[in-house]
């Protein structure tokens, strides 16, 4: 089969061959991804009913001889459509890119190296590496397996996990569920590891054969967008009713019906905020790409909004709050305590009898210390890599056994500053480094044949490896959480001899371990067992171990975490640490980081299991640390917090975390240490696994929501003003203040760019000093509705004032209309700056949103253009304005906002936002 697919299992395909096969068989996907269709988006701009009516009206007036008007209206409509098109196209492209970023990855061997590639790029013949938590990317013929257990429910509907074994040649054909030497696309690796060769990809897989039945729709609608669309529908009717009123009043005033009809329809087109949903999409999509720059990958768009509403963050400890760069600093054996110097993964340091590290000793003279380190190394798979060599995608440099490079469980997340790196789990790395300091070499120790692995998982909290030692005998080396190992130890290794471990002594060891944990150390116990190989091989669980001792590891906190935690707490968000580590270790680190408050509670997984749902809800809200929790406890914590009314963000990395991530309002997966399954279940993926990134994402979420409110305010106040100016003028039996073309131009100039720039407003300084946004809050809450009406009325007022003042001064109607036109636009352009602030125009410098300033300048230039450029002016019915008129326009437009701004500044003491 390998030769049929022309692949060497050690080398994998080479890059060129893979690219060639990709080109000939196509992407490894179940459905050809439909790209963005620009033409459809452009035509979509004319979907709007009122725009169609206007087109018809324009066409008729064109037939009636109003050519210039008709052409001008058409031009403006086209410009408008173009603007809408650019925005929508950009949004769609951004969403498409988002989909690509969030696409699943697969690990393959190419050119002799392991590489992470998009699952879409897997081709037949690729050597695929599978481990617990992966989703199988293609139909894979297994070459090598270790304890592989697969959940095939996605394919067969059969929920009982299937054991797979390789190599096995089976008489074909068999039912899928019985083909134990194959792993099928879309199924889930629950346990173990494997490699295999992809034999079918894309629609040729078993999954592909049934994929026609599966509709793959991605949710890109968000609650906010739905609300905005609903709002839009309501506003359409209001706008239609008001414009009908304008037309009616105009006709009653004696204007000809055709003229009034065109005016009314124009007004309706201008006043309907048809751009709202698109701008929301653009703002969300651009917010998403901004978050991505900050290392938070948003997989589902609604998460952006929910982030802004988050009230509780439950975070993992290791790697998220800490560096996950472990160093073994002390140990305890039957012979007493010892301490180790050195930092990071550099294998340099000495052994000491005292914590101050003044009394050195030679570990080789202490058999219990050597045993502790030796069995610790034997129970581990991590390797130490010297500086500059062995990039993590490279295979080992030294001659190693077949498939040796599979020995990875967790990748080192950070290279130590010294340049020494760990290939594998950092906890194990710390033990390996300490062993090197004692002169032990992990490669040499592990040269014996491995007979069995009892793998680590966060429920068992221990792992063991069985080695053959010859003569039909074997040795099992075990390490794990100290309770897990102590409970399974029957004897203790004491200076070369083995004696029984009594209950009293066991308790004393537990106390020692707790004391180490209380100092913030991660504590592991090491043990072993010797016996006939077959006996050891048959073990399903560790038992009758010989206890050797304890090791204590430090894992320094990430330096910027305490500040991030303070910021989050100031933002009225509760933070709790949720960890598999020991209660005392968790407590010490949480106190250090500022998570554990003096009155805060610490609960363990055991406590949780004793509490019913209600009691848990009550206690969970005041708990700062959840320790020794298993993944299913995490799910209960999420449910309890949500039942208590919290909007919960929860982090996770393992397959077992997926239910908790799904149940949380915001599931957050780790990008580096996380499994594919956890990422699939998550709304957000932290590309750097870092807590501070959650803080940044919440900040963005809040900013985006506020920005949506800002441009809703701006756009609606503008529309209110446009309609009110006409309505009031007709009600007062004044002449028509604006021509249809002017109205369309106002719409074009003010609705497009400035609104978008407002949607991208940078974060306000105090976003993280406010309470979270309540998800049930109306878009118009916190005074926004009032602001829209009052600012709309102000703009109406100054426009009508400017208009009537010119008329009263005896100016011709054309001049008064021009002044009204200019005033209405300029007032809106001033209002856009007012809309950026809750309180006062002067709270923020306009220069921190340069695009907004530029878009306002462009808009202003467009007004000047149609007034001062005679051919345009003629079409628009405008007349050139004197310098004095321009001053008047600017003065009238700006005055009320400046006054309001000053007043807002003076009336300090009022909080920027009332407490929720
Ligand atoms: P979190 O990432 O949620 O903060 P954690 O990473 O600290 O949790 P786990 O990885 O589930 O927690 O580890 C739980 C316990 O299992 C640890 O306290 C440690 O005692 C033990 N342990 C961790 N890694 C290993 C390992 N590689 N082998 C054996 N035991 C381990």
């Amino acid at each position: 089969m390998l030769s049929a697919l022309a692949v060497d299992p050690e080398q994998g395909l080479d890059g060129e061959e893979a690219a060639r096969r990709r080109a000939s068989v196509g992407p490894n996907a179940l459905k050809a991804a439909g790209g963005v269709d620009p033409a459809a988006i452009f035509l979509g701009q004319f979907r709007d009913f009122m725009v169609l009516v206007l087109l018809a009206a324009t066409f008729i007036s064109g037939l009636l001889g109003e050519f210039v008007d008709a052409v001008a209206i058409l031009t403006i409509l086209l410009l408008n459509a173009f603007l809408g098109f650019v925005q929508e196209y950009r949004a769609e492209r951004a969403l498409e890119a988002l989909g690509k970023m969030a696409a699943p990855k697969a690990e393959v061997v190419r050119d002799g190296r392991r590489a992470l590639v998009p699952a879409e790029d897997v081709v037949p013949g690729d050597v695929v590496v599978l481990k617990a938590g992966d989703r199988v990317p293609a139909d894979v013929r297994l070459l090598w397996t270790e304890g592989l257990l697969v959940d095939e429910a996605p394919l067969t509907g059969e929920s009982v996990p299937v054991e797979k074994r390789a190599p096995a040649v089976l008489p074909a054909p068999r039912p899928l569920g019985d083909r134990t030497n194959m792993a099928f696309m879309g199924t889930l690796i629950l346990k173990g590891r494997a490699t295999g060769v992809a034999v079918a990809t894309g629609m040729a897989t078993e999954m592909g054969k049934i994929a026609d039945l599966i509709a793959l729709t991605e949710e890109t609608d968000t609650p906010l967008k739905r609300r905005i669309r609903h709002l839009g529908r309501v506003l359409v009717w209001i706008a239609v009713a008001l414009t009908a009123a304008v037309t009616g009043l105009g006709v009653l005033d004696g204007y000809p019906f055709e003229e009034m009809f065109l005016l009314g329809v124009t007004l309706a087109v201008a006043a309907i905020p048809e751009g709202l949903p698109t701008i929301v999409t653009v703002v969300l999509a651009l917010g998403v790409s901004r978050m991505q720059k900050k290392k938070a990958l948003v997989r589902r768009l609604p998460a952006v909004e929910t982030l802004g509403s988050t009230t509780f963050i439950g975070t993992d400890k290791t790697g998220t709050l800490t560096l996950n760069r472990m160093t073994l600093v002390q140990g305890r054996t039957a012979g007493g305590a010892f301490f180790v110097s050195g930092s990071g993964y550099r294998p340099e340091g000495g052994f000491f009898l005292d914590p101050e590290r003044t009394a050195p000793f030679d570990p080789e003279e202490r058999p219990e210390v050597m045993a502790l380190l030796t069995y610790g190394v034997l129970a581990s798979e991590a390797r130490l890599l010297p500086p500059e060599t062995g990039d993590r995608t490279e295979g080992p440099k030294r001659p190693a056994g077949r498939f040796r490079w599979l020995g990875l469980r967790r990748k080192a997340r950070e290279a130590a500053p010294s340049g020494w790196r760990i290939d594998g789990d950092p906890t194990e790395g710390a033990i390996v480094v300490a062993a090197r300091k004692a002169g032990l070499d992990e490669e040499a120790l592990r040269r014996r044949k491995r007979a069995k692995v009892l793998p680590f998982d966060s429920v068992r909290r221990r792992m063991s490896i069985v080695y053959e030692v010859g003569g039909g005998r074997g040795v099992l080396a075990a390490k794990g959480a100290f309770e897990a190992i102590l409970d399974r130890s029957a004897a203790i290794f004491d200076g070369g001899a083995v004696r029984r471990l009594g209950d009293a002594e066991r308790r004393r060891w537990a106390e020692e371990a707790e004391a180490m944990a209380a100092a913030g150390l991660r504590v592991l116990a090491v043990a072993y067992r010797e016996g006939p190989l077959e006996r050891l091989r048959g073990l399903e669980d560790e038992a009758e171990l010989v206890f050797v001792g304890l090791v204590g590891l430090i894992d320094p906190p990430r330096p910027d975490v305490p500040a991030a935690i303070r910021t989050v707490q100031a933002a009225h968000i509760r933070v709790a640490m949720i960890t598999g580590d020991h209660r005392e270790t968790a407590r010490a680190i949480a106190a250090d980081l500022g998570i554990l408050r003096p009155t805060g509670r610490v609960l363990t997984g055991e406590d949780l299991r004793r509490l019913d749902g209600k009691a848990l809800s009550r206690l969970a809200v005041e708990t700062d640390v959840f320790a020794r929790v298993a993944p299913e406890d995490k799910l209960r914590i999420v449910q309890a917090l949500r039942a208590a009314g919290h909007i919960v963000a929860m982090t996770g990395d393992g397959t077992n975390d997926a239910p908790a991530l799904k149940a949380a309002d915001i599931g957050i997966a780790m990008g580096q240490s996380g499994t594919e399954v956890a990422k699939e279940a998550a709304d957000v993926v932290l590309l750097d696994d870092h807590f501070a990134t959650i803080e940044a994402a919440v900040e963005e979420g809040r900013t985006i929501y506020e920005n949506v409110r800002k441009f809703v305010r701006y756009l609606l106040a503008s529309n209110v003003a446009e309609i009110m100016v006409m309505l009031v003028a007709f009600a007062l039996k004044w002449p028509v203040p604006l021509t249809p073309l002017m109205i369309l131009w106002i719409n074009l100039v003010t609705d497009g760019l400035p609104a978008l720039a407002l949607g991208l407003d940078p974060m306000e300084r105090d976003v993280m000093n406010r309470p979270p946004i309540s998800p049930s809050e109306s878009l118009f809450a916190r005074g926004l509705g009032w602001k829209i009406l009052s600012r709309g009325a102000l703009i109406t007022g100054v426009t009508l004032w400017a208009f009537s003042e010119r008329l009263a001064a005896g100016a011709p109607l054309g001049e008064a209309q021009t002044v009204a036109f200019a005033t209405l636009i300029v007032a809106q352009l001033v209002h856009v700056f007012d809309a950026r602030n809750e309180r006062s125009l002067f709270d923020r410098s306009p220069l921190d949103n340069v695009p907004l300033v530029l878009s306002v300048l462009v808009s202003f230039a467009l007004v000047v253009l149609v007034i001062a450029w005679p051919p345009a002016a003629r079409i628009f019915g405008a007349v050139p304005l004197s310098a004095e008129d321009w001053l008047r326009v600017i003065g009238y437009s700006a005055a009320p906002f400046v006054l309001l701004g000053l007043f807002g500044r003076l009336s300090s003491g009022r909080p920027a936002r009332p407490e929720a």
Side-chain angles (χ1 to χ4, degrees):
M1 178 206 51
L2 290 173
S3 53
L5 288 159
V7 61
D8 167 355
E10 295 270 359
Q11 281 297 310
L13 295 175
D14 64 50
E16 273 168 39
E17 178 58 24
R20 226 177 350 259
R21 292 188 189 187
R22 169 79 157 77
S24 82
V25 299
N28 175 31
L30 290 185
K31 203 184 77 177
V36 182
D37 178 6
I41 295 179
F42 187 74
L43 286 179
Q45 305 301 314
F46 298 97
R47 256 187 325 229
D48 199 14
F49 175 67
M50 283 325 254
V51 172
L52 292 178
V53 175
L54 182 58
L55 279 174
T58 313
F59 185 66
I60 292 167
S61 72
L63 286 185
L64 294 177
E66 306 274 349
F67 281 126
V68 182
D69 260 20
V71 171
I73 290 180
L74 266 180
T75 313
I76 298 182
L77 282 180
L78 279 177
L79 279 176
N80 227 340
F82 180 70
L83 210 67
F85 163 77
V86 171
Q87 285 179 5
E88 204 167 321
Y89 185 65
R90 215 170 144 183
E92 294 293 331
R93 287 292 298 273
L95 289 178
E96 202 182 36
L98 168 68
K100 289 217 173 91
M101 274 301 293
K105 302 258 191 305
E107 193 162 1
V108 294
V109 180
R110 296 250 174 102
D111 297 311
R113 298 174 178 199
R114 303 189 338 162
L116 222 47
V117 298
E120 229 186 70
D121 292 346
V122 173
V123 295
D126 256 327
V127 175
V128 180
V129 181
L130 301 169
K131 58 184 177 314
D134 284 352
R135 209 170 270 288
V136 180
D139 284 0
V140 175
R141 169 68 158 81
L142 299 168
L143 296 174
W144 172 92
T145 54
E146 188 173 85
L148 194 65
L149 206 59
V150 182
D151 173 7
E152 295 196 327
L155 184 62
T156 61
E158 181 58 65
S159 59
V160 182
V162 190
E163 237 180 276
K164 301 272 177 173
R165 228 181 278 272
V169 180
L170 302 167
R174 285 179 161 229
L176 291 185
D178 294 345
R179 275 151 66 181
T180 55
N181 59 354
M182 289 284 299
F184 298 102
M185 179 192 226
T187 59
L188 176 62
I189 309 287
L190 294 174
K191 274 203 179 121
R193 299 184 285 239
T195 51
V197 177
V199 290
T201 61
M203 293 304 283
T205 59
E206 294 300 327
M207 197 62 132
K209 290 179 190 157
I210 58 169
D212 292 337
L213 312 172
I214 311 170
L216 296 161
T217 44
E218 254 306 309
E219 169 81 289
T220 57
D221 237 10
T222 78
L224 189 58
K225 269 167 79 179
R226 272 196 293 275
R227 260 153 74 189
I228 295 262
R229 205 170 300 129
H230 176 73
L231 173 72
R233 273 197 287 273
V234 175
L235 289 176
V236 166
W237 290 113
I238 296 179
V240 168
L242 287 176
T243 49
V246 169
T247 317
L249 281 174
V251 172
L252 284 182
D253 276 358
Y255 287 100
F257 175 77
E258 311 87 70
E259 211 174 284
M260 282 304 105
F261 182 70
L262 187 65
L263 188 74
V265 176
T266 315
L267 197 54
V269 168
I272 293 169
E274 71 284 349
L276 265 185
T278 314
I279 301 189
V280 174
T281 311
V282 179
V283 167
L284 287 176
L286 294 181
V288 163
S289 70
R290 226 167 28 217
M291 286 194 190
Q292 197 181 315
K293 284 197 195 98
K294 295 183 177 171
K295 302 266 190 281
L297 177 69
V298 175
R299 295 190 71 245
R300 285 189 252 284
L301 208 52
V304 177
E305 293 162 44
T306 319
L307 274 169
S309 304
T310 303
T311 61
F312 198 107
I313 301 176
T315 172
D316 285 357
K317 170 177 69 68
T318 310
T320 310
L321 298 171
T322 65
L323 290 170
N324 200 15
R325 193 186 297 149
M326 310 258 177
T327 310
L328 191 159
V329 291
Q330 56 171 287
R332 232 154 260 220
T333 62
F338 67 91
F339 302 84
V340 186
S341 66
S343 74
Y345 296 140
R346 182 198 292 276
E348 282 166 23
F351 286 71
F352 299 86
L353 292 169
D354 58 331
E356 291 74 35
R357 296 181 176 78
T358 52
F361 72 91
D362 180 0
E364 286 190 37
E365 284 165 15
R366 295 265 302 270
E368 337 81 56
V369 174
M370 292 309 270
L372 182 71
L373 296 171
T374 302
Y375 287 118
V377 165
L378 286 176
S380 307
E381 298 178 307
R383 296 180 313 132
L384 181 64
L385 304 179
E388 311 301 318
T389 61
D391 186 68
R392 77 175 175 77
T393 52
E394 278 180 27
K397 288 263 186 287
R398 278 161 275 193
R402 243 168 98 81
F403 301 119
R404 188 55 171 281
W405 37 268
L406 291 170
L408 282 194
R409 189 161 60 81
R410 269 194 211 170
K411 283 167 203 105
R413 296 173 209 187
E414 308 247 350
S418 65
W420 288 84
R421 299 147 156 265
I422 292 299
D423 184 4
D425 182 343
T427 299
E428 299 187 347
I431 299 175
V432 167
V433 170
R436 288 266 190 118
K437 291 175 185 169
L440 293 167
D441 176 50
E442 73 272 15
E443 296 288 330
L445 284 176
R446 295 179 191 149
R447 208 152 281 151
R448 299 186 185 91
K449 190 161 186 285
R450 264 160 63 148
K452 177 171 182 130
V453 178
L454 292 169
F456 173 81
D457 67 52
S458 45
V459 177
R460 283 171 27 87
R461 295 198 190 91
R462 56 188 180 270
M463 78 174 268
S464 304
I465 303 181
V466 178
Y467 296 85
E468 286 184 33
V469 291
R473 295 191 60 82
V475 59
L476 172 146
K479 69 173 190 326
F482 65 82
E483 324 89 287
I485 297 292
L486 262 178
D487 287 352
R488 285 163 186 78
S489 298
I492 180 166
F493 180 81
D494 185 359
V498 173
R499 60 180 167 75
R500 218 179 71 80
L501 181 64
D503 280 347
E505 194 177 4
R506 201 191 310 270
R507 267 198 303 281
R508 256 202 329 278
W509 276 106
E511 280 163 19
E512 296 256 11
E514 296 219 0
M516 282 164 79
L521 296 174
R522 163 176 282 221
V523 186
L524 272 81
V526 175
Y528 71 94
R529 174 173 168 176
E530 288 172 337
L533 185 62
E534 282 320 304
R535 259 310 268 293
L536 295 179
R537 220 205 293 263
L539 282 181
E540 288 306 320
D541 195 359
E542 293 85 346
E544 291 173 43
L545 301 174
V546 180
F547 182 79
V548 183
L550 302 169
V551 291
L553 323 181
I554 53 166
D555 177 15
R558 286 178 179 265
D560 37 359
V561 161
I565 285 172
R566 277 195 300 278
T567 309
V568 169
Q569 286 168 341
H572 306 252
I573 299 172
R574 290 260 296 105
V575 185
M577 175 194 278
I578 300 180
T579 176
D581 225 333
H582 190 265
R583 185 186 67 232
E584 292 307 320
T585 312
R587 187 198 290 275
I589 294 178
D592 225 31
L593 294 172
I595 290 180
L596 181 61
R597 301 160 302 171
T599 56
R601 190 186 289 275
V602 179
L603 285 181
T604 64
E606 233 169 275
D607 298 337
L608 296 184
R609 268 157 252 148
R610 271 199 300 269
L611 295 167
D612 66 12
K614 277 220 179 81
L616 181 56
S617 261
R618 223 175 29 248
L619 290 185
V621 292
E622 50 193 56
T623 302
D624 290 337
V625 176
F626 297 88
R628 279 290 192 246
V629 293
E632 61 271 20
D633 302 327
K634 239 180 182 172
L635 177 62
R636 284 193 67 213
I637 295 171
V638 171
Q639 288 164 339
L641 288 168
R642 295 197 68 212
H646 272 292
I647 309 286
V648 183
M650 177 69 74
T651 69
D653 49 15
T655 308
N656 297 338
D657 288 337
L661 295 184
K662 280 209 185 106
D665 298 276
I666 296 276
I668 303 176
M670 299 301 146
Q672 301 189 15
S673 65
T675 55
E676 278 299 313
V677 174
K679 290 183 206 168
E680 272 174 32
D683 303 290
V684 176
V685 176
L686 299 184
L687 298 175
D688 58 358
D689 292 12
H690 190 341
F691 180 81
T693 306
I694 304 177
E695 183 237 321
V698 169
E699 214 166 76
E700 279 293 341
R702 289 182 172 199
T703 301
I704 289 169
Y705 183 80
E706 290 305 328
N707 286 352
V708 169
R709 276 170 48 97
K710 286 176 194 171
F711 72 70
V712 165
R713 164 182 166 184
Y714 165 72
L715 279 181
L716 294 192
S718 298
N719 293 345
V720 165
E722 285 157 27
I723 295 182
M724 291 306 287
V725 163
M726 302 302 282
L727 202 61
V728 174
F730 282 142
L732 295 176
K733 303 206 178 303
W734 289 1
V736 190
L738 300 165
T739 66
L741 274 176
M742 285 179 177
I743 294 173
L744 283 181
W745 196 249
I746 292 170
N747 187 45
L748 176 74
V749 163
T750 60
D751 274 16
L753 293 179
L756 185 58
L758 195 55
L760 304 178
D761 212 28
M763 185 185 101
E764 280 180 75
R765 231 175 309 122
D766 64 341
V767 268
M768 289 302 268
N769 294 330
R770 306 170 186 171
I773 302 148
S774 159
S776 59
E777 164 185 300
S778 145
L779 198 59
F780 300 110
R782 291 181 268 130
L784 198 80
W786 164 245
K787 286 231 163 92
I788 291 171
L789 293 177
S790 62
R791 300 312 192 261
L794 264 183
I795 301 174
T796 309
V798 292
T799 306
L800 287 174
W801 168 259
F803 180 61
S804 63
E805 187 263 350
R806 282 293 80 198
L807 284 180
L813 178 61
E815 186 185 325
Q817 283 179 329
T818 311
V819 169
F821 169 59
T823 308
L824 183 51
I825 294 188
V826 176
Q828 290 185 8
L829 295 182
V830 178
H831 175 229
V832 85
F833 291 104
D834 186 46
R836 291 181 68 209
N837 298 290
E838 286 271 333
R839 216 160 46 97
S840 161
L841 180 62
F842 301 109
D843 277 356
R844 305 169 74 191
S845 157
L847 289 182
D848 45 52
N849 188 343
V850 175
L852 182 64
V853 175
L854 291 179
S855 66
V856 163
L857 288 178
V858 168
S859 299
F860 186 67
L862 288 173
V863 189
V864 175
L865 175 83
V866 298
I867 294 176
W869 188 42
R874 227 170 302 134
I875 297 173
F876 277 81
V879 298
L881 295 183
S882 63
E884 197 185 320
D885 276 337
W886 276 114
L887 280 180
R888 218 175 260 133
V889 165
I890 292 172
Y892 289 150
S893 322
F897 293 106
V898 170
L899 287 178
L900 268 179
L902 288 176
F903 184 72
R905 271 250 123 148
L906 289 177
S907 65
S908 57
R910 190 169 69 88
R913 158 198 295 230
E915 291 286 311

